[in-house]
Amino acid sequence: MTLRQSLNHLFRPALEALHEDGRVTALQSGGFFGGSVLVLPRAWCRHQFFPGDFQNTKALQALQLKVQFNTPFKNPGLYLRAGTSGASVWTWDQDTVFAHIPPKSGKRLIPESALFPAINAPDSQIRKLACLSGVEGQIWKDGSLKTSRWWAQEPNARDWQAFLKAGRLSPDNQEQPIKTTKADITTPPFIDGPLLPWLKKSITANLVPIVLLLFLAPFTYQLTQWGAALWLERHYQGQSAQKRQSAQPLLADRRDALSAIGSINTAMSLGDESLLLHALMEWVRVLDGFELEISRLQFSDNKLAVYASGEGQSKAPQIVEALENSPVWSDVSLQPSVGNTVIVRGILHAFTSPEAAPKQPTANSDQGA
C-alpha cells in the first residue's frame, strides 16, 4: 500500500444512510480521522442550481445567505457543491433530521444525490437513478447538475415531459422516461469547499483527535524509527549469517592454502631437498672408486659441505677433479679435518642426467690429438 493510499484510508469518512423511516444503515467503514457522514434521503431534500462563479469565499457566503433567506424550511440545512459554471445547492429541514439523530452527533450531513457520480460532458446528459426511496431524474451539463427532480414512484410520460421542460430540453425525443439505473454512493472529498471555512469547521469538529495526533506524533515517529532500525538490524544479521554459512567452504580452502604455503616456506628455508638428493647421487656416481664414508652433511643456500673419512682422502686432487667434472657440483674445494676426515665443499646446480652430461676426454684421446 502506497503512502497516498494509506492516507486516503486513514482519512476516509464512514458513510451511514438515513432512511425515511428513521433507520440508519452503514454504507462504508471509515478511517480513524475520517469522521462520519450521514447520507440524507433525496426525498427530504430540495435541489437548486445557481449559475455564476462561486469559487471564492465571499461569493460562496453570499450565496449561502441568499439560499437560507429563500428556503421554505424554518430551520434549514444546506449543502453546496460549486462547479465551473455555477453551484448546486441542496436544502432540507434540520428538525426532521434531528428527530432521528442527536443534533450534536458531529456527523456531516450530505444529500445522497450529491454523492452520485458526476457526469463531465459539455452537452446535456439525462439519467434516472434509484434512490434510498423513490427515483431521481437528473440533467447534467458542463460537469454540473443543472436540474433535479424526485418522484416517490416511477414517473409517467407526462411527469417526465414536465421534467425535461423544466431543464429547458425538448421533450419530443424523450416522450417516455428512460430506464432507471442504480448508482453507487461515492466517497465525499476530504476538503469539501473553500479551504479556510472548511479548515475552521474541521478543527472545531475534530479538536480532540487533532490534539491527540499532535501529542502522539513525536512518540509515533520515534517508535517508527526504532522499529525500522530493529528490522534493519535483524535483516542484516540474517544476511551476515547466510554469508558466513556460504563462506565456510572458502574459509576451509583458505586455511588449507595457508597451511600449504607454510609447508612450502618451511621447505624453502630448509633448501632444495631434491637438489641435495641429486648431489649425493652424483657423489656416488663419480666417487664410486674411492673408499670414502660420509659422516656429516651441511647444506644451505645451494652450498654443500660433506664430511667424509676413509683411505680415499689421500687422493684429494682426483676427488676434486671428479666432482668438478660433474654437472651438479662446481667450485669444489677440499679441506682436511681431524684425523682421517676431510671436508669437501662445493656449490650445487640443477640436476642434469648423467647421460646428458658432456663426456670428458680420456688420456688416449688427448695423445691421439
Side-chain angles (χ1 to χ4, degrees):
M1 181 180 292
T2 63
L3 178 60
R4 181 175 181 179
Q5 291 175 339
S6 301
L7 292 176
N8 289 338
H9 181 75
L10 188 64
F11 289 92
R12 183 179 64 181
L15 299 182
E16 298 177 340
L18 178 62
H19 298 267
E20 287 189 88
D21 56 4
R23 292 181 300 109
V24 177
T25 58
L27 298 178
Q28 172 184 283
S29 60
F32 182 76
F33 297 104
S36 180
V37 172
L38 188 66
V39 181
L40 301 179
R42 177 62 178 86
W44 292 0
C45 303
R46 178 189 180 191
H47 173 266
Q48 291 176 280
F49 179 79
F50 295 88
D53 184 7
F54 301 101
Q55 300 295 324
N56 60 79
T57 304
K58 291 184 177 180
L60 196 63
Q61 291 176 347
L63 177 61
Q64 291 176 347
L65 293 175
K66 177 180 179 181
V67 172
Q68 290 177 354
F69 181 78
N70 294 326
T71 182
F73 304 116
K74 182 177 180 181
N75 183 19
L78 182 145
Y79 182 80
L80 189 147
R81 181 72 57 82
T84 57
S85 59
S88 292
V89 181
W90 288 266
T91 55
W92 60 88
D93 186 7
Q94 291 278 51
D95 295 335
T96 303
V97 177
F98 292 156
H100 302 284
I101 64 168
K104 296 183 179 180
S105 62
K107 297 180 180 181
R108 296 166 59 189
L109 304 180
I110 301 179
E112 64 172 323
S113 57
L115 297 179
F116 288 147
I119 300 178
N120 293 314
D123 54 341
S124 299
Q125 300 290 326
I126 307 172
R127 66 180 177 182
K128 185 155 60 75
L129 301 177
C131 301
L132 294 174
S133 62
V135 294
E136 179 186 30
Q138 295 183 344
I139 300 177
W140 289 78
K141 187 176 182 180
D142 297 327
S144 298
L145 180 59
K146 296 297 183 68
T147 305
S148 171
R149 183 174 178 180
W150 177 83
W151 299 278
Q153 297 177 351
E154 288 287 340
N156 54 34
R158 183 178 179 180
D159 293 335
W160 185 252
Q161 291 179 6
F163 165 68
L164 296 180
K165 289 180 180 180
R168 297 181 180 181
L169 295 179
S170 174
D172 298 337
N173 298 327
Q174 296 285 346
E175 295 181 358
Q176 296 296 329
I178 61 177
K179 183 179 179 181
T180 301
T181 59
K182 177 67 175 179
D184 295 330
I185 296 293
T186 60
T187 302
F190 182 69
I191 300 178
D192 196 358
L195 180 60
L196 292 180
W198 172 87
L199 188 61
K200 181 179 179 181
K201 182 179 179 181
S202 299
I203 292 177
T204 304
N206 302 283
L207 183 60
V208 175
I210 291 175
V211 173
L212 183 63
L213 178 62
L214 294 177
F215 178 76
L216 294 179
F219 301 98
T220 304
Y221 175 77
Q222 294 295 335
L223 182 62
T224 303
Q225 295 297 316
W226 175 81
L230 182 62
W231 181 86
L232 288 175
E233 180 182 4
R234 293 182 177 179
H235 174 70
Y236 288 119
Q237 285 180 351
Q239 285 190 340
S240 300
Q242 292 179 356
K243 291 182 178 180
R244 285 196 298 268
Q245 185 69 23
S246 61
Q248 289 300 323
L250 297 177
L251 294 176
D253 294 341
R254 181 178 179 274
R255 287 193 296 268
D256 295 341
L258 292 177
S259 177
I261 292 175
S263 301
I264 293 173
N265 291 334
T266 302
M268 292 179 64
S269 65
L270 294 175
D272 192 343
E273 299 175 356
S274 63
L275 184 60
L276 177 59
L277 178 60
H278 297 160
L280 294 178
M281 291 175 63
E282 193 69 8
W283 174 287
V284 173
R285 185 180 70 84
V286 300
L287 300 180
D288 186 42
F290 298 90
E291 296 180 1
L292 294 173
E293 181 179 352
I294 297 175
S295 60
R296 183 182 174 188
L297 296 174
Q298 287 183 344
F299 180 57
S300 176
D301 297 333
N302 294 347
K303 295 180 180 180
L304 178 61
V306 180
Y307 291 76
S309 59
E311 297 179 357
Q313 65 176 337
S314 59
K315 302 178 181 180
Q318 292 85 344
I319 294 174
V320 173
E321 182 181 3
L323 291 176
E324 282 287 354
N325 292 331
S326 169
V328 179
W329 289 76
S330 66
D331 294 337
V332 181
S333 63
L334 190 143
Q335 175 185 350
S337 185
V338 181
N340 59 348
T341 302
V342 294
I343 304 175
V344 182
R345 300 181 183 276
I347 298 176
L348 304 183
H349 299 281
F351 176 73
T352 305
S353 174
E355 290 77 5
K359 294 182 179 181
Q360 300 297 328
T362 60
N364 294 334
S365 61
D366 292 341
Q367 292 175 1

